[in-house]
Amino acid sequence: MRKRSAHSYEEIARSSGVSISTISRVINRSASVSPGMRGKVIAALREKGIDVASIDFEPLPRDDLFIFNVPTLKNPFYSPIIEAARIDAERHGYHLLVSENLLNAATVDGFLSLLRRTKASGLVCVNSVSRPILRKIAGEIPMVCCCEGDNASGVPYVTIDDEAAAEDAVKYLLSLGRRRIALINGPENFKYARARLKGYARALAAAGVEMDPSLIASVSADMDFEMAKAHAERMFSLDQRPDAFFCISDVLASAAIKAAFSKGLDVPRDVAVVGFDNIQVAKIMRPSLTTVYQPTDQIGTLAVEMLLRILKDGTDAVQSVTLGAELIIRESTVAY
């Protein structure tokens, strides 16, 4: 039975009205499926002519452990989300183990082996994961995506409206009379990077400003400060240099400010800079950084609460959540 194809799971899902991930967890003896839902899946298997009497559906024991998977710990944005998730998990009697690694075809089997060895009860994933791999992992363990998300995967997620937040930030720069607005983005395999690029492009198009590819650059998921600074310095060397930067991380925005200073430019008089995340450095640097605030505490807490709900009632009972974001105006765009 464990070698049945995804197509077979889809047939069972259609006949039972149960999600593919829930069916997979029943087959993999996950403790997260309610007895009623487990019985419904077993009945659907029986209707398909499968000898259910020869299959052990008894749930495997699980430890009071949640795995929190991140692509990198070098990005400071993740820290407050992890801390909020840890506090909420411990409040409910669970420990939180942070796993730092990318999830792809080359690493997923090793990651699944980790989940089995630790007997983890659930997973919060902040990684960019392809839909097939997402479903493969969700078939083994209750799972919530955090910041990233895919509506078609069937895996619940908590995130913000990245596209709208980016559009608002760029519209604000346009309202200041800036027209040569540069973008320093993250890796495009991440949903947030693709969505923020869309918001950036939409704001420019609405203002009749043509998007200039020479003003767009990307860095790795680590939010590499030196790489971002090098990109900004290159842009400042153009015949028509940027008069503003929209950066998808406060780390990248601080790099743009550093590059501006190295070129003898004043922030915000010569170049305005907007970041994203509102990490601590945004408040204490000089000039202080205009940035998009993400409710990190709420994101981390909600991810754990959603996971707990899945453990209690199953994946089908949990709806994805999209939170709002807020643009905070500081000295990097407005001289006080």
Side-chain angles (χ1 to χ4, degrees), residues 31 95 141 169 185 232-233 266 289 297 330:
H95 300 289
I141 189 170
N185 204 356
E233 288 173 343
D266 180 81
L289 185 62
D297 288 352
R330 296 196 181 103

Side-chain angles (χ1 to χ4, degrees), residues 175 196 207 285:
S175 75
R196 293 173 196 178
M285 64 185 295

Side-chain angles (χ1 to χ4, degrees), residues 219-335:
V219 299
S220 69
D222 290 344
M223 298 297 120
D224 190 310
F225 178 93
E226 293 300 332
M227 181 62 71
K229 181 171 176 286
H231 281 307
E233 288 173 343
R234 173 190 60 79
M235 294 176 190
F236 282 131
S237 298
L238 295 171
D239 290 339
Q240 290 183 292
R241 63 168 177 80
D243 58 11
F245 274 83
F246 170 55
C247 302
I248 61 85
S249 160
D250 291 339
V251 173
L252 307 184
S254 65
I257 291 174
K258 185 78 170 179
F261 290 162
S262 73
K263 297 292 185 179
L265 300 172
D266 180 81
V267 178
R269 186 186 65 232
D270 300 316
V271 57
V273 180
V274 173
F276 213 107
D277 295 338
N278 195 39
I279 62 174
Q280 187 176 16
V281 69
K283 307 165 192 175
I284 63 178
M285 64 185 295
R286 287 292 178 268
S288 57
L289 185 62
T290 294
T291 186
V292 177
Y293 164 72
Q294 293 198 64
T296 49
D297 288 352
Q298 191 177 359
I299 290 171
T301 300
L302 267 174
V304 170
E305 290 296 323
M306 290 166 69
L307 194 53
L308 291 164
R309 179 73 185 278
I310 292 173
L311 289 171
K312 181 176 181 291
D313 299 321
T315 302
D316 298 339
V318 178
Q319 298 293 317
S320 295
V321 177
T322 300
L323 301 171
E326 177 187 358
L327 184 65
I328 298 176
I329 309 300
R330 296 196 181 103
E331 296 167 339
S332 67
T333 56
V334 178

Side-chain angles (χ1 to χ4, degrees), residues 8-336:
S8 297
Y9 282 8
E10 290 170 0
E11 290 177 349
I12 298 164
R14 282 195 295 270
S15 64
S16 66
V18 179
S19 70
I20 292 173
S21 60
T22 299
I23 293 167
S24 183
R25 282 201 290 275
V26 171
I27 301 302
N28 287 301
R29 302 171 62 192
S30 171
S32 67
V33 183
S34 68
M37 188 65 70
R38 190 179 304 275
K40 191 173 183 180
V41 171
I42 293 171
L45 293 173
R46 187 182 292 113
E47 288 177 5
K48 290 293 180 183
I50 296 168
D51 181 13
V52 296
S54 65
I55 304 171
D56 186 0
F57 292 102
E58 189 65 23
L60 293 168
R62 292 286 185 179
D63 285 344
D64 295 332
L65 177 70
F66 289 158
I67 304 293
F68 195 105
N69 174 255
V70 295
T72 175
L73 288 171
K74 294 180 180 178
N75 185 350
F77 165 67
Y78 295 131
S79 296
I81 297 178
I82 294 171
E83 181 63 10
R86 182 191 64 77
I87 291 170
D88 197 60
E90 289 184 355
R91 186 168 65 88
H92 290 280
Y94 287 86
H95 300 289
L96 192 74
L97 175 66
V98 178
S99 163
E100 179 190 18
N101 62 297
L102 296 172
L103 296 178
N104 51 43
T107 64
V108 65
D109 288 338
F111 183 70
L112 290 174
S113 177
L114 168 70
L115 297 178
R116 296 177 192 123
R117 290 197 310 273
T118 58
K119 298 180 182 179
S121 293
L123 169 67
V124 177
C125 182
V126 191
N127 244 307
S128 169
V129 186
S130 69
R131 191 176 300 162
I133 292 176
L134 203 58
R135 286 176 171 168
K136 184 175 184 178
I137 297 171
E140 295 233 4
I141 189 170
M143 178 180 184
V144 171
C145 288
C146 185
C147 301
E148 296 292 298
D150 180 352
N151 282 321
S153 70
V155 178
Y157 60 82
V158 54
T159 188
I160 66 162
D161 189 337
D162 288 284
E163 187 172 344
E167 183 178 13
D168 288 345
V170 176
K171 280 183 175 178
Y172 166 67
L173 288 170
L174 290 162
S175 75
L176 300 177
R178 312 292 172 150
R179 290 297 180 269
R180 296 280 294 169
I181 302 174
L183 168 67
I184 303 183
N185 204 356
E188 289 190 11
N189 60 304
F190 281 82
K191 182 272 295 181
Y192 72 79
R194 297 190 303 273
R196 293 173 196 178
L197 174 61
K198 286 182 181 178
Y200 165 84
R202 193 163 67 183
L204 293 182
V209 176
E210 185 176 354
M211 193 163 63
D212 184 348
S214 70
L215 295 181
I216 300 173
S218 297
V219 299
S220 69
D222 290 344
M223 298 297 120
D224 190 310
F225 178 93
E226 293 300 332
M227 181 62 71
K229 181 171 176 286
H231 281 307
E233 288 173 343
R234 173 190 60 79
M235 294 176 190
F236 282 131
S237 298
L238 295 171
D239 290 339
Q240 290 183 292
R241 63 168 177 80
D243 58 11
F245 274 83
F246 170 55
C247 302
I248 61 85
S249 160
D250 291 339
V251 173
L252 307 184
S254 65
I257 291 174
K258 185 78 170 179
F261 290 162
S262 73
K263 297 292 185 179
L265 300 172
D266 180 81
V267 178
R269 186 186 65 232
D270 300 316
V271 57
V273 180
V274 173
F276 213 107
D277 295 338
N278 195 39
I279 62 174
Q280 187 176 16
V281 69
K283 307 165 192 175
I284 63 178
M285 64 185 295
R286 287 292 178 268
S288 57
L289 185 62
T290 294
T291 186
V292 177
Y293 164 72
Q294 293 198 64
T296 49
D297 288 352
Q298 191 177 359
I299 290 171
T301 300
L302 267 174
V304 170
E305 290 296 323
M306 290 166 69
L307 194 53
L308 291 164
R309 179 73 185 278
I310 292 173
L311 289 171
K312 181 176 181 291
D313 299 321
T315 302
D316 298 339
V318 178
Q319 298 293 317
S320 295
V321 177
T322 300
L323 301 171
E326 177 187 358
L327 184 65
I328 298 176
I329 309 300
R330 296 196 181 103
E331 296 167 339
S332 67
T333 56
V334 178
Y336 291 97

